[in-house]
Amino acid sequence: MNKQKNSGYIKSKQKRNQSNKSHGKKHLGMATRKGDKSQGKHASTNKHRRNKKSLTVVVTCTGLTNEGRGIIQWEGKKLEIEHLMPGETAEITISINGGDVDAKLKRLITPSKDRVKPRCSYYYDCGGCQLQHMNEQAQERFKQVTIDKLMKPFGKPEPILTMEHPYDYRNKSHTTFGLNKERQIIGGLYAQNSHQLISMDRCLIHDPKADEIWQTIKDLMKSFKMQPYNEDTGRGFLRHVLIKVGKVSGEIMVVLVVASPIFKGKNNFVKALRKAHPEITTILMNVNNRDTSMVLGDQEKVLFGKGTITDTLCGLKFDISAKSFYQINPVQTEKLYAKAIEMAQLTGRETVIDAYCGIGTIGLIASKKAGKVIGVELNKDAVQDAIRNSKRNGVKNARFYQGDAGKFMVEMATRGEKADVVIMDPPRSGSDEAFLSSVVKLKPKRIVYVSCNPVTQVRDLKYLVQYGYEVKGIQPVDMFPQTVHVECVALLQRKTI
Ligand code: SAH
């Protein structure tokens, strides 16, 4: 087994006096929560026992970082401890190595009343979720406080829109395969920020059907003598399995990401997989023979079905291909899009730009209430999907263009074109100056900014505010329960000068 046993320690590494964003690779098991005999005997800080480079201190957590880690003060320094919650007293181990301070939770003394046992047994190993040790109210509070803090310069955000059943929500999953010490095939997810494969049979935020399918693939690999790809040696065949599920349509896409185009026994493998899961509607092979952490390579071949899945969102039907972006939590996406379109205040006459449009979802949903929609997106497959999606839904007033959104907007501004509303939904890195400065030149009345990274969103909002816009509303949406991530949509209005 590749998986380390839970040993009761949690690690987080940080530079003295500053947080280290690429924190601890490995998450080990939770320190015991059971009654602690020494409770109350320790002051909140600094009763420590020194040894050469490491010492144990008792501390009280005073708050959470934006990444959900507990904040403690130690000798005038702020340290971050993974999985520690506000108000909790705990024994932590601090290791000092030159300028590096490595602090980890050793033993909880007084657990928070909001602490729960994580439902996932891989939680402390995997790191893909960061908040499962908090109950739903504490997760909600954490996300609200984080957004309130970040958005403070612009006003008070609305209460976050939470999810009724905050599990099983991901419509997309990728899993990886490898060999354990006994050379048996294992499958699962990489631990956060690492290439250590955690063997698992279920991820509680994945669609349960998707997990059943890749478990079957793991079993089929044995009977077909298919070797998992080994990144270090470059040997082996199956690198990853990407599964996309249409939550409304029930359609399922399976992408076998392989290291070589020569797939021995391909037809029988596909047949066996379909026999075990007749609910699969399309199977693709994607060849990724590069030394890369990217999941998908360039070559793609449809082995069964139409090569895409179709799903319904906000009453429209969308074709989704293997490489296109599609929001991973459709239940919450409907709430997000409804809010974004409400913020756009469309009357049927407006020219709306849907920038970073993916497969055209927001623009096509908005098209019913707009004069015309212009979508721009970098990914070729996604733009093709968007064009197909506008036809499939009988939308006549939308056009989609492939290209960099920044360049596209610069060209529009240079041609002196106008837009009434810009809806933008950039990737985590946010937008860029080319895009933002052109938006300012186009002078839309309203900008609706959707973001999965409030830090870059704040940066971009500051720019737009500096150049004549006012933030009129901020709506956080919990699109990624159990994790620290928060989606946020903001409305900006042009000041009349
Ligand atoms: N609005 C869509 C997609 C949002 S994700 C939805 O809700 O589904 C962000 C999208 O931006 C991705 O589809 C990505 O391919 C695209 N993208 C990334 N960089 C870009 C750029 N420089 N110009 C245009 N699109 C870009």
Side-chain angles (χ1 to χ4, degrees):
M1 293 279 282
N2 239 339
K3 184 160 82 84
Q4 284 189 24
K5 285 214 182 90
N6 284 357
S7 63
Y9 297 91
I10 297 166
K11 219 164 136 187
S12 81
K13 203 168 192 183
Q14 44 223 302
K15 282 261 180 214
R16 276 180 193 269
N17 259 344
Q18 91 185 40
S19 76
N20 180 356
K21 305 275 188 246
S22 58
H23 63 279
K25 280 179 176 181
K26 190 75 195 96
H27 307 251
L28 304 176
M30 186 62 233
T32 177
R33 291 183 50 208
K34 289 193 187 127
D36 174 66
K37 302 217 169 59
S38 61
Q39 190 172 330
K41 282 189 189 162
H42 296 276
S44 63
T45 53
N46 297 356
K47 278 206 170 178
H48 50 250
R49 177 169 50 80
R50 276 182 197 278
N51 57 26
K52 263 187 201 163
K53 281 182 185 164
S54 111
L55 58 150
T56 300
V57 298
V58 173
V59 292
T60 299
C61 177
T62 54
L64 291 170
T65 66
N66 290 352
E67 294 78 27
R69 295 193 281 272
I71 299 170
I72 61 120
Q73 300 294 329
W74 174 71
E75 293 194 345
K77 296 174 185 67
K78 184 177 135 186
L79 296 183
E80 300 177 9
I81 314 289
E82 255 175 342
H83 306 122
L84 193 61
M85 292 175 63
E88 291 186 328
T89 301
E91 219 171 50
I92 63 164
T93 306
I94 299 175
S95 310
I96 301 160
N97 185 2
D100 282 339
V101 178
D102 186 6
K104 64 191 178 191
L105 179 56
K106 187 179 178 195
R107 188 172 59 92
L108 265 181
I109 297 170
T110 42
S112 162
K113 64 175 178 19
D114 290 327
R115 182 177 280 278
V116 290
K117 185 173 182 290
R119 277 171 60 172
C120 172
S121 49
Y122 311 106
Y123 176 60
Y124 293 113
D125 285 327
C126 169
C129 295
Q130 302 80 22
L131 306 181
Q132 273 200 35
H133 61 288
M134 299 181 188
N135 64 21
E136 280 171 31
Q137 295 72 26
Q139 289 195 25
E140 182 179 340
R141 204 177 323 123
F142 159 70
K143 292 192 179 191
Q144 188 73 48
V145 168
T146 304
I147 293 294
D148 288 357
K149 253 189 317 195
L150 284 167
M151 296 291 171
K152 201 158 180 212
F154 312 115
K156 193 163 167 42
E158 296 297 318
I160 186 166
L161 300 173
T162 54
M163 190 175 186
E164 207 172 311
H165 175 67
Y167 290 95
D168 308 324
Y169 59 82
R170 282 192 71 103
N171 56 13
K172 180 176 97 168
S173 63
H174 5 96
T175 37
T176 304
F177 300 91
L179 295 175
N180 64 11
K181 282 201 201 97
E182 292 78 40
R183 305 201 57 76
Q184 282 165 330
I185 296 171
I186 56 167
L189 303 176
Y190 283 130
Q192 191 84 329
N193 302 323
S194 94
H195 268 230
Q196 189 189 350
L197 185 61
I198 308 293
S199 169
M200 55 178 73
D201 52 11
R202 174 85 181 100
C203 165
L204 295 177
I205 60 173
H206 282 178
D207 184 277
K209 192 43 103 184
D211 281 359
E212 277 175 33
I213 292 172
W214 71 259
Q215 289 293 331
T216 301
I217 293 174
K218 190 179 76 179
D219 295 340
L220 286 177
M221 286 173 77
K222 285 174 208 155
S223 44
F224 279 77
K225 298 200 169 34
M226 183 189 280
Q227 285 299 305
Y229 180 76
N230 181 322
E231 286 190 331
D232 298 326
T233 63
R235 287 207 205 104
F237 183 66
L238 188 62
R239 290 183 78 134
H240 310 279
V241 169
L242 165 67
I243 300 177
K244 292 190 177 186
V245 179
K247 290 272 193 184
V248 176
S249 66
E251 292 187 20
I252 299 179
M253 169 194 289
V254 176
V255 185
L256 303 165
V257 186
V258 297
S260 141
I262 301 152
F263 188 162
K264 283 188 215 133
K266 181 175 68 197
N267 294 346
N268 286 337
F269 191 91
V270 168
K271 208 164 140 191
L273 182 57
R274 285 183 56 204
K275 185 161 180 236
H277 294 284
E279 65 278 16
I280 296 175
T281 50
T282 190
I283 302 177
L284 294 95
M285 168 173 123
N286 177 285
V287 184
N288 185 352
N289 46 20
R290 288 172 305 174
D291 184 12
T292 169
S293 59
M294 300 284 286
V295 174
L296 295 178
D298 294 331
Q299 273 183 63
E300 202 173 90
K301 190 172 174 201
V302 179
L303 304 182
F304 161 69
K306 59 181 176 168
T308 56
I309 54 165
T310 307
D311 202 21
T312 302
L313 198 66
C314 300
L316 295 189
K317 283 204 157 75
F318 293 98
D319 270 0
I320 304 149
S321 54
K323 284 189 194 153
S324 311
F325 176 89
Y326 182 59
Q327 298 287 355
I328 57 103
N329 182 340
V331 170
Q332 294 300 90
T333 301
E334 289 199 335
K335 297 179 192 168
L336 174 78
Y337 284 178
K339 194 70 205 178
I341 287 164
E342 178 195 313
M343 283 174 165
Q345 299 164 48
L346 302 174
T347 62
R349 289 189 298 274
E350 293 80 3
T351 297
V352 177
I353 294 178
D354 177 10
Y356 310 91
C357 68
I359 61 169
T361 41
I362 301 179
L364 291 174
I365 295 162
S367 68
K368 287 180 260 178
K369 297 184 179 165
K372 68 172 179 184
V373 171
I374 301 166
V376 57
E377 160 66 43
L378 197 57
N379 180 316
K380 289 192 185 76
D381 292 358
V383 176
Q384 275 172 15
D385 288 346
I387 294 167
R388 213 172 28 227
N389 288 331
S390 68
K391 287 191 189 131
R392 154 186 283 283
N393 290 290
V395 174
K396 301 255 169 6
N397 59 344
R399 294 283 172 278
F400 292 94
Y401 300 91
Q402 191 261 320
D404 170 74
K407 272 195 196 146
F408 184 86
M409 294 298 272
V410 171
E411 284 161 18
M412 270 193 84
T414 314
R415 289 195 298 268
E417 290 181 38
K418 292 276 167 267
D420 301 300
V421 177
V422 170
I423 303 179
M424 56 188 286
D425 183 8
R428 283 191 68 72
S429 51
S431 194
D432 56 20
E433 197 161 350
F435 183 93
L436 295 171
S437 60
S438 308
V439 169
V440 170
K441 282 188 198 136
L442 288 176
K443 292 195 170 75
K445 278 201 261 333
R446 284 178 290 283
I447 303 169
V448 178
Y449 190 145
V450 181
S451 168
C452 58
N453 182 351
V455 173
T456 54
Q457 187 180 29
V458 165
R459 180 199 67 201
D460 295 347
L461 290 181
K462 279 186 180 153
Y463 183 99
L464 292 167
V465 165
Q466 196 185 338
Y467 288 94
Y469 285 85
E470 220 174 336
V471 177
K472 290 291 195 185
I474 304 162
Q475 177 65 67
V477 181
D478 195 4
M479 296 271 278
F480 317 101
Q482 317 307 332
T483 80
V484 291
H485 302 289
V486 195
E487 191 87 12
C488 202
V489 51
L491 167 65
L492 294 110
Q493 192 163 296
R494 193 169 170 77
K495 282 191 222 156
T496 39
I497 331 163

